[in-house]
mmCIF file of all heavy atoms in Angstrom:
data_model
loop_
_atom_site.group_PDB
_atom_site.id
_atom_site.type_symbol
_atom_site.label_atom_id
_atom_site.label_comp_id
_atom_site.label_asym_id
_atom_site.label_seq_id
_atom_site.Cartn_x
_atom_site.Cartn_y
_atom_site.Cartn_z
ATOM 1 N N LEU F 184 1.337 16.758 14.773
ATOM 2 C CA LEU F 184 -0.104 16.639 14.667
ATOM 3 C C LEU F 184 -0.487 15.660 13.530
ATOM 4 O O LEU F 184 -1.408 14.867 13.695
ATOM 5 C CB LEU F 184 -0.707 18.033 14.405
ATOM 6 C CG LEU F 184 -2.259 18.019 14.311
ATOM 7 C CD1 LEU F 184 -2.899 17.495 15.591
ATOM 8 C CD2 LEU F 184 -2.769 19.425 14.003
ATOM 9 N N VAL F 185 0.246 15.698 12.459
ATOM 10 C CA VAL F 185 -0.055 14.789 11.326
ATOM 11 C C VAL F 185 0.231 13.348 11.770
ATOM 12 O O VAL F 185 -0.550 12.429 11.487
ATOM 13 C CB VAL F 185 0.781 15.164 10.043
ATOM 14 C CG1 VAL F 185 0.410 14.255 8.894
ATOM 15 C CG2 VAL F 185 0.554 16.614 9.697
ATOM 16 N N THR F 186 1.310 13.165 12.508
ATOM 17 C CA THR F 186 1.619 11.806 13.007
ATOM 18 C C THR F 186 0.509 11.338 13.937
ATOM 19 O O THR F 186 0.090 10.167 13.856
ATOM 20 C CB THR F 186 2.961 11.832 13.803
ATOM 21 O OG1 THR F 186 3.966 12.416 12.970
ATOM 22 C CG2 THR F 186 3.404 10.433 14.202
ATOM 23 N N THR F 187 0.026 12.196 14.772
ATOM 24 C CA THR F 187 -1.075 11.835 15.719
ATOM 25 C C THR F 187 -2.318 11.431 14.931
ATOM 26 O O THR F 187 -3.014 10.459 15.261
ATOM 27 C CB THR F 187 -1.399 13.047 16.622
ATOM 28 O OG1 THR F 187 -0.197 13.366 17.331
ATOM 29 C CG2 THR F 187 -2.516 12.744 17.610
ATOM 30 N N LYS F 188 -2.585 12.156 13.833
ATOM 31 C CA LYS F 188 -3.761 11.811 13.018
ATOM 32 C C LYS F 188 -3.568 10.466 12.331
ATOM 33 O O LYS F 188 -4.529 9.682 12.192
ATOM 34 C CB LYS F 188 -4.059 12.929 12.011
ATOM 35 C CG LYS F 188 -4.582 14.184 12.672
ATOM 36 C CD LYS F 188 -4.836 15.294 11.677
ATOM 37 C CE LYS F 188 -5.412 16.519 12.344
ATOM 38 N NZ LYS F 188 -5.651 17.624 11.425
ATOM 39 N N MET F 189 -2.369 10.203 11.833
ATOM 40 C CA MET F 189 -2.103 8.898 11.212
ATOM 41 C C MET F 189 -2.293 7.784 12.239
ATOM 42 O O MET F 189 -2.893 6.736 11.938
ATOM 43 C CB MET F 189 -0.665 8.831 10.691
ATOM 44 C CG MET F 189 -0.398 9.593 9.445
ATOM 45 S SD MET F 189 1.279 9.276 8.837
ATOM 46 C CE MET F 189 1.134 7.620 8.180
ATOM 47 N N ARG F 190 -1.814 8.025 13.438
ATOM 48 C CA ARG F 190 -1.955 7.002 14.508
ATOM 49 C C ARG F 190 -3.457 6.753 14.789
ATOM 50 O O ARG F 190 -3.863 5.614 14.953
ATOM 51 C CB ARG F 190 -1.258 7.556 15.767
ATOM 52 C CG ARG F 190 -1.103 6.556 16.870
ATOM 53 C CD ARG F 190 -0.324 7.133 18.040
ATOM 54 N NE ARG F 190 1.092 6.974 17.846
ATOM 55 C CZ ARG F 190 2.007 7.979 17.872
ATOM 56 N NH1 ARG F 190 1.604 9.229 18.067
ATOM 57 N NH2 ARG F 190 3.296 7.777 17.698
ATOM 58 N N ALA F 191 -4.245 7.831 14.823
ATOM 59 C CA ALA F 191 -5.673 7.710 15.056
ATOM 60 C C ALA F 191 -6.340 6.897 13.925
ATOM 61 O O ALA F 191 -7.227 6.046 14.171
ATOM 62 C CB ALA F 191 -6.317 9.074 15.197
ATOM 63 N N ASP F 192 -5.940 7.128 12.689
ATOM 64 C CA ASP F 192 -6.537 6.407 11.545
ATOM 65 C C ASP F 192 -6.186 4.916 11.618
ATOM 66 O O ASP F 192 -7.025 4.064 11.320
ATOM 67 C CB ASP F 192 -6.015 7.012 10.222
ATOM 68 C CG ASP F 192 -6.480 8.444 10.015
ATOM 69 O OD1 ASP F 192 -7.504 8.842 10.611
ATOM 70 O OD2 ASP F 192 -5.778 9.192 9.301
ATOM 71 N N ILE F 193 -4.967 4.607 11.997
ATOM 72 C CA ILE F 193 -4.553 3.201 12.083
ATOM 73 C C ILE F 193 -5.288 2.503 13.263
ATOM 74 O O ILE F 193 -5.730 1.370 13.138
ATOM 75 C CB ILE F 193 -3.017 3.071 12.200
ATOM 76 C CG1 ILE F 193 -2.358 3.541 10.892
ATOM 77 C CG2 ILE F 193 -2.598 1.630 12.531
ATOM 78 C CD1 ILE F 193 -0.841 3.750 10.960
ATOM 79 N N SER F 194 -5.487 3.265 14.354
ATOM 80 C CA SER F 194 -6.283 2.695 15.469
ATOM 81 C C SER F 194 -7.720 2.465 15.030
ATOM 82 O O SER F 194 -8.324 1.464 15.421
ATOM 83 C CB SER F 194 -6.270 3.667 16.663
ATOM 84 O OG SER F 194 -4.989 3.901 17.093
#
Side-chain angles (χ1 to χ4, degrees):
L184 182 59
V185 183
T186 307
T187 301
K188 289 180 177 177
M189 285 186 75
R190 189 175 276 123
D192 296 334
I193 294 168
S194 301

